[in-house]
Amino acid sequence: MKAVYFICNNHHWGHVAYRVWDILREEGVFQEPAGFSFAGQDVMKRTEGGNEFYFVPTDIALCLDYPRYLPEMQAHFSAFDMSGMVTWHEGGNAPDNVLTVHSLGDMASGNFGRANPRCMRNLLRAYEQNRVALGLETYHVATEATHWSGVHDGHGDAGLLVQFPVPMVDIEVGSAPASWDDDTACRALARTLTHVFDDDGLRVHNLLCVGGVHFEPNYAEAALKTWGGEAFGVTHILANQWLVAGEYETERGFARACACVDSIEGGIEAIVFHDKMKGCYKDLVRRLGAHYDVPIYKHQRLRSPETMEFSSKG
């Protein structure tokens, strides 16, 4: 299998990513040049366990210059199994000392990147293992609501996101300068990348998560939860704030929500919703459940997964 990671190695721009690039080089992860360049820089490669990993240097975060990068992404990596962008997380109300992996999508327009639940779960598991191994006791691993920084400050074309057919996630350290500058946290991220295909073989039940806050703890806990040889596949999370902004209570909103479900590889086996949502969004969840013929559950049921039933249609 093949994975590609886009990592800004420009020491004069941004945070986290250039540290991760330097750690990958320092630890000997780069085995050889891949034999081609991307935006004028050499792509590096590693082969391990029958899998191939490509590391693509950029001079700015990939999402912030997507029109420039997309043609080369399509040319070189369209047949890959998984992809990711390494970056930092920040935000006024964002938690500090957080190690995150999240799916990509623009809820306002209904453009959602492909999502691979098993690979995303593998990354979250590896991130947690590296957090523990490196003694990052004050950090925690979490996922976030689906979003894409390629649309920002009223700029960007969200339609470009779906033109790259490979599932992609953002992999981040956040959410303050002390975290971004923490070499150990960046090392945990760097050591996670080559474990995207390391699978524990559990039966993974793919979910669509609806409602809640950006860093919804119930969904983050579910993403790492296991029971009796089973686990959850958490990818797209439709946060409450963007359900409102995107008018998901309308027919157009229903179509956008369907586009989200359809972007999840393997389909979904259940929908979980935060029970503090407004009634109109609970109606959306009921309609989605009927449309995809999957059960719907309040978020509290995630704490007792052995009591949940799942559709076999996923």
Side-chain angles (χ1 to χ4, degrees):
M1 300 180 75
K2 296 182 179 181
V4 56
Y5 296 106
F6 302 94
I7 308 172
C8 176
N9 65 343
N10 181 357
H11 282 232
H12 303 289
W13 190 91
H15 314 280
V16 175
Y18 69 83
R19 293 178 183 274
V20 169
W21 183 271
D22 290 347
I23 290 166
L24 291 167
R25 181 175 55 197
E26 165 202 323
E27 295 197 342
V29 175
F30 302 152
Q31 290 177 330
E32 60 183 347
F36 60 93
S37 63
F38 184 96
Q41 296 194 68
D42 288 338
V43 175
M44 302 304 294
K45 180 181 177 182
R46 180 178 186 83
T47 303
E48 182 178 339
N51 300 313
E52 296 179 7
F53 304 93
Y54 292 73
F55 304 90
V56 179
T58 61
D59 55 14
I60 193 172
L62 181 83
C63 60
L64 297 183
D65 205 354
Y66 217 70
R68 173 164 68 106
Y69 291 132
L70 181 59
E72 287 188 82
M73 293 167 62
Q74 293 169 324
H76 294 298
F77 307 114
S78 285
F80 276 44
D81 300 286
M82 190 64 184
S83 64
M85 183 184 79
V86 172
T87 185
W88 76 95
H89 184 271
E90 64 179 316
N93 298 314
D96 201 8
N97 290 9
V98 64
L99 311 173
T100 79
V101 182
H102 72 82
S103 58
L104 304 185
D106 179 64
M107 285 185 63
S109 65
N111 287 287
F112 294 91
R114 300 293 300 174
N116 183 312
R118 295 201 77 98
C119 286
M120 181 164 162
R121 179 173 175 270
N122 292 342
L123 286 169
L124 287 163
R125 287 176 51 249
Y127 220 167
E128 172 64 11
Q129 291 164 1
N130 283 308
R131 181 195 70 80
V132 173
L134 289 168
L136 291 165
E137 296 179 357
T138 63
Y139 283 77
H140 68 281
V141 173
T143 187
E144 309 171 42
T146 297
H147 64 285
W148 186 51
S149 298
V151 175
H152 57 96
D153 301 325
H155 302 287
D157 179 2
L160 297 178
L161 181 59
V162 299
Q163 294 184 30
F164 185 56
V166 182
M168 183 180 285
V169 292
D170 281 359
I171 311 162
E172 308 171 348
V173 175
S175 298
S179 301
W180 307 335
D181 296 340
D182 187 336
D183 281 334
T184 305
C186 293
R187 196 171 300 276
L189 194 164
R191 292 181 179 179
T192 292
L193 300 180
T194 54
H195 296 283
V196 63
F197 302 128
D198 291 0
D199 197 284
D200 59 8
L202 298 191
R203 172 71 168 89
V204 175
H205 301 286
N206 296 347
L207 304 178
L208 173 69
C209 299
V210 184
V213 297
H214 187 79
F215 277 94
E216 178 54 52
N218 295 283
Y219 303 148
E221 292 168 10
L224 290 169
K225 196 175 195 65
T226 63
W227 72 97
E230 301 178 65
F232 292 122
V234 177
T235 52
H236 286 309
I237 299 172
L238 306 184
N240 191 62
Q241 68 191 82
W242 288 313
L243 287 172
V244 175
E247 300 180 337
Y248 274 69
E249 71 277 13
T250 67
E251 283 297 319
R252 182 179 295 179
F254 177 72
R256 291 169 177 161
C258 289
C260 179
V261 173
D262 294 342
S263 72
I264 299 174
E265 293 190 353
I268 60 171
E269 296 182 41
I271 301 172
V272 177
F273 68 96
H274 200 285
D275 68 354
K276 291 186 178 180
M277 291 193 305
K278 290 183 177 180
C280 60
Y281 302 118
K282 292 180 182 178
D283 290 341
L284 168 70
V285 169
R286 294 186 189 100
R287 187 176 175 188
L288 286 170
H291 182 73
Y292 288 97
D293 194 18
V294 297
I296 63 174
Y297 295 104
K298 294 181 179 181
H299 71 274
Q300 292 93 338
R301 291 290 292 276
L302 293 169
R303 300 168 194 161
S304 51
E306 66 280 355
T307 69
M308 300 171 67
E309 295 182 356
F310 300 95
S311 167
S312 60
K313 298 178 182 298

